[in-house]
């Protein structure tokens, strides 16, 4: 063969290899999104028990029936109430643990108040703590798990859940949760005699 024919053969082989690689990539993308059934490839979030009641109670539909924010809030719900299932890498179950989830210690309102009053000086550490740092710290200490990065969806979506609940409760930045009033026996008897 001539020297002129050789480069065209190389070019043809390179084109063929490129087309095969592009075809395989396109095939994988189509399989992943349409045919695999693997949850990680889909943008939908699994609806766990209690989500619809939570959604109605905190008027999550205010932000739209569906969308990235609502899906992130739903994922945050799953992370808080089903931590063992959705964030097992950040938790380590011990024999004495009754419940291995964020909701075992924190209510949605606790998270909302924590969100609006974050970025304050933490007396325990002597440092300013963001909401995200508090979540990461809780994963590490209370859950005895690995520390996620600040950009991990397991931190971001809990923040968005707290933000949605704070919006519903109409909490403004810096709002501190009022102390819970303990009802005494005298209060109960006074209300029944009226």
């Amino acid at each position: 063969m001539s020297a002129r024919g050789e480069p065209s053969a190389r070019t043809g082989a390179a084109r063929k290899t490129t087309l095969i690689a592009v075809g395989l990539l396109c095939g994988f993308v189509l399989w992943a999104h349409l045919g695999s059934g693997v949850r990680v490839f889909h943008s939908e979030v699994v609806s766990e028990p209690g989500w619809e009641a939570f959604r109605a109670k905190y008027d999550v539909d205010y932000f739209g029936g569906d969308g990235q924010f609502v899906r992130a809030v739903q994922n945050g719900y799953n992370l808080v109430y089903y931590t063992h299932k959705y964030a097992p890498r950040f938790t380590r179950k011990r024999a004495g643990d009754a419940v291995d989830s964020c909701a075992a210690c924190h209510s949605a309102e606790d998270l909302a108040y924590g969100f609006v009053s974050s970025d304050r000086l933490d007396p325990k550490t002597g440092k300013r703590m963001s909401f995200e740092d508090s979540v990461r710290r809780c994963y590490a200490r209370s859950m005895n798990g690995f520390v996620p990065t600040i950009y991990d969806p397991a931190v971001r979506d809990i923040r968005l859940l707290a933000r949605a609940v704070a919006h519903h409760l109409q909490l403004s930045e810096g709002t501190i949760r009022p102390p819970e009033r303990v009802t005494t026996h005298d209060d109960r008897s006074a209300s029944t005699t009226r």
Side-chain angles (χ1 to χ4, degrees), residues 83-85 87-101 104 142-145:
T83 313
H84 63 283
K85 185 174 179 181
R89 65 193 184 277
F90 305 128
T91 63
R92 291 187 193 144
K93 187 129 177 98
R94 296 174 297 233
D97 292 342
V99 180
D100 198 19
S101 72
S142 299
M143 300 295 231
N144 194 29

Short mmCIF file of all heavy atoms in Angstrom, two decimals, residues 83-85 87-101 104 142-145:
data_model
loop_
_atom_site.label_atom_id
_atom_site.label_comp_id
_atom_site.label_asym_id
_atom_site.label_seq_id
_atom_site.Cartn_x
_atom_site.Cartn_y
_atom_site.Cartn_z
N THR A 83 -33.20 7.46 58.04
CA THR A 83 -31.76 7.66 57.88
C THR A 83 -31.04 6.35 57.63
O THR A 83 -30.16 6.27 56.77
CB THR A 83 -31.18 8.33 59.15
OG1 THR A 83 -32.00 9.42 59.53
CG2 THR A 83 -29.77 8.81 58.90
N HIS A 84 -31.41 5.32 58.34
CA HIS A 84 -30.76 4.01 58.19
C HIS A 84 -30.87 3.48 56.77
O HIS A 84 -30.00 2.75 56.31
CB HIS A 84 -31.36 3.01 59.17
CG HIS A 84 -32.82 2.75 58.92
ND1 HIS A 84 -33.80 3.63 59.31
CD2 HIS A 84 -33.44 1.72 58.30
CE1 HIS A 84 -34.99 3.15 58.93
NE2 HIS A 84 -34.79 1.98 58.32
N LYS A 85 -31.92 3.88 56.06
CA LYS A 85 -32.15 3.38 54.71
C LYS A 85 -31.53 4.30 53.64
O LYS A 85 -31.01 3.82 52.64
CB LYS A 85 -33.66 3.28 54.48
CG LYS A 85 -34.08 2.68 53.17
CD LYS A 85 -35.60 2.52 53.16
CE LYS A 85 -36.09 1.94 51.85
NZ LYS A 85 -37.56 1.83 51.85
N ALA A 87 -29.19 7.00 54.26
CA ALA A 87 -27.84 7.50 54.52
C ALA A 87 -27.08 6.51 55.40
O ALA A 87 -26.49 6.89 56.41
CB ALA A 87 -27.89 8.88 55.18
N PRO A 88 -27.05 5.24 55.02
CA PRO A 88 -26.39 4.26 55.89
C PRO A 88 -24.89 4.50 56.00
O PRO A 88 -24.29 4.11 57.00
CB PRO A 88 -26.69 2.92 55.19
CG PRO A 88 -26.92 3.27 53.77
CD PRO A 88 -27.56 4.63 53.79
N ARG A 89 -24.30 5.16 55.03
CA ARG A 89 -22.85 5.40 55.09
C ARG A 89 -22.49 6.40 56.19
O ARG A 89 -21.35 6.49 56.58
CB ARG A 89 -22.34 5.87 53.73
CG ARG A 89 -22.88 7.20 53.29
CD ARG A 89 -22.59 7.46 51.82
NE ARG A 89 -23.01 8.75 51.37
CZ ARG A 89 -24.24 9.09 50.99
NH1 ARG A 89 -25.19 8.18 51.03
NH2 ARG A 89 -24.51 10.30 50.59
N PHE A 90 -23.47 7.16 56.66
CA PHE A 90 -23.20 8.14 57.72
C PHE A 90 -23.68 7.67 59.08
O PHE A 90 -23.67 8.44 60.03
CB PHE A 90 -23.86 9.48 57.37
CG PHE A 90 -23.43 10.01 56.04
CD1 PHE A 90 -24.36 10.39 55.11
CD2 PHE A 90 -22.09 10.12 55.70
CE1 PHE A 90 -23.98 10.88 53.87
CE2 PHE A 90 -21.69 10.59 54.47
CZ PHE A 90 -22.64 10.98 53.55
N THR A 91 -24.12 6.44 59.16
CA THR A 91 -24.59 5.90 60.44
C THR A 91 -23.93 4.56 60.69
O THR A 91 -23.62 3.82 59.78
CB THR A 91 -26.12 5.71 60.45
OG1 THR A 91 -26.46 4.74 59.47
CG2 THR A 91 -26.85 6.99 60.16
N ARG A 92 -23.72 4.27 61.95
CA ARG A 92 -23.21 2.96 62.35
C ARG A 92 -24.08 2.47 63.48
O ARG A 92 -24.06 3.02 64.57
CB ARG A 92 -21.76 3.06 62.82
CG ARG A 92 -20.81 3.38 61.70
CD ARG A 92 -19.39 3.28 62.20
NE ARG A 92 -18.51 3.88 61.22
CZ ARG A 92 -17.44 4.57 61.52
NH1 ARG A 92 -17.08 4.73 62.76
NH2 ARG A 92 -16.70 5.08 60.58
N LYS A 93 -24.84 1.48 63.20
CA LYS A 93 -25.76 0.95 64.21
C LYS A 93 -24.98 0.20 65.28
O LYS A 93 -24.09 -0.56 64.97
CB LYS A 93 -26.77 0.03 63.54
CG LYS A 93 -27.85 -0.41 64.48
CD LYS A 93 -29.19 -0.16 63.86
CE LYS A 93 -30.30 -0.67 64.74
NZ LYS A 93 -30.88 0.35 65.54
N ARG A 94 -25.33 0.50 66.51
CA ARG A 94 -24.75 -0.20 67.65
C ARG A 94 -25.83 -1.04 68.31
O ARG A 94 -27.01 -0.81 68.10
CB ARG A 94 -24.19 0.81 68.64
CG ARG A 94 -23.04 1.64 68.06
CD ARG A 94 -22.64 2.71 69.05
NE ARG A 94 -23.77 3.61 69.25
CZ ARG A 94 -23.71 4.92 69.11
NH1 ARG A 94 -22.60 5.51 68.79
NH2 ARG A 94 -24.77 5.67 69.31
N ALA A 95 -25.43 -1.97 69.10
CA ALA A 95 -26.38 -2.89 69.73
C ALA A 95 -27.40 -2.16 70.60
O ALA A 95 -28.55 -2.56 70.67
CB ALA A 95 -25.61 -3.91 70.56
N GLY A 96 -27.04 -1.07 71.22
CA GLY A 96 -27.94 -0.35 72.12
C GLY A 96 -28.85 0.64 71.43
O GLY A 96 -29.70 1.24 72.09
N ASP A 97 -28.73 0.84 70.13
CA ASP A 97 -29.55 1.82 69.41
C ASP A 97 -30.95 1.26 69.17
O ASP A 97 -31.12 0.22 68.56
CB ASP A 97 -28.93 2.17 68.05
CG ASP A 97 -27.64 2.94 68.21
OD1 ASP A 97 -27.40 3.47 69.31
OD2 ASP A 97 -26.89 3.02 67.23
N ALA A 98 -31.95 1.99 69.66
CA ALA A 98 -33.33 1.58 69.41
C ALA A 98 -33.74 2.02 68.01
O ALA A 98 -34.29 1.25 67.24
CB ALA A 98 -34.24 2.19 70.45
N VAL A 99 -33.50 3.27 67.69
CA VAL A 99 -33.86 3.81 66.39
C VAL A 99 -32.64 4.52 65.82
O VAL A 99 -31.98 5.28 66.52
CB VAL A 99 -35.03 4.82 66.51
CG1 VAL A 99 -35.39 5.39 65.16
CG2 VAL A 99 -36.24 4.15 67.13
N ASP A 100 -32.34 4.24 64.59
CA ASP A 100 -31.16 4.82 63.96
C ASP A 100 -31.60 5.84 62.90
O ASP A 100 -31.45 5.60 61.72
CB ASP A 100 -30.33 3.70 63.32
CG ASP A 100 -28.91 4.13 63.02
OD1 ASP A 100 -28.46 5.12 63.60
OD2 ASP A 100 -28.28 3.46 62.20
N SER A 101 -32.21 6.95 63.35
CA SER A 101 -32.64 7.98 62.42
C SER A 101 -32.55 9.34 63.09
O SER A 101 -32.52 9.45 64.32
CB SER A 101 -34.07 7.74 61.94
OG SER A 101 -34.98 8.01 62.98
N ALA A 104 -35.28 10.35 65.57
CA ALA A 104 -35.28 9.82 66.93
C ALA A 104 -34.94 10.93 67.94
O ALA A 104 -35.38 10.87 69.08
CB ALA A 104 -34.28 8.68 67.05
N SER A 142 -23.69 11.84 66.98
CA SER A 142 -24.88 11.13 67.43
C SER A 142 -25.12 9.83 66.68
O SER A 142 -25.63 8.87 67.24
CB SER A 142 -26.11 12.03 67.30
OG SER A 142 -25.93 13.19 68.09
N MET A 143 -24.78 9.81 65.40
CA MET A 143 -24.99 8.62 64.59
C MET A 143 -23.74 7.75 64.52
O MET A 143 -23.78 6.68 63.94
CB MET A 143 -25.41 8.99 63.17
CG MET A 143 -26.68 9.78 63.12
SD MET A 143 -28.04 8.80 63.70
CE MET A 143 -29.17 9.03 62.38
N ASN A 144 -22.63 8.28 65.06
CA ASN A 144 -21.37 7.55 65.07
C ASN A 144 -20.96 7.12 63.66
O ASN A 144 -20.46 6.03 63.44
CB ASN A 144 -21.46 6.32 65.99
CG ASN A 144 -20.10 5.73 66.30
OD1 ASN A 144 -19.10 6.45 66.30
ND2 ASN A 144 -20.06 4.44 66.53
N GLY A 145 -21.23 8.00 62.69
CA GLY A 145 -20.97 7.65 61.30
C GLY A 145 -19.86 8.47 60.68
O GLY A 145 -19.15 9.22 61.35
#
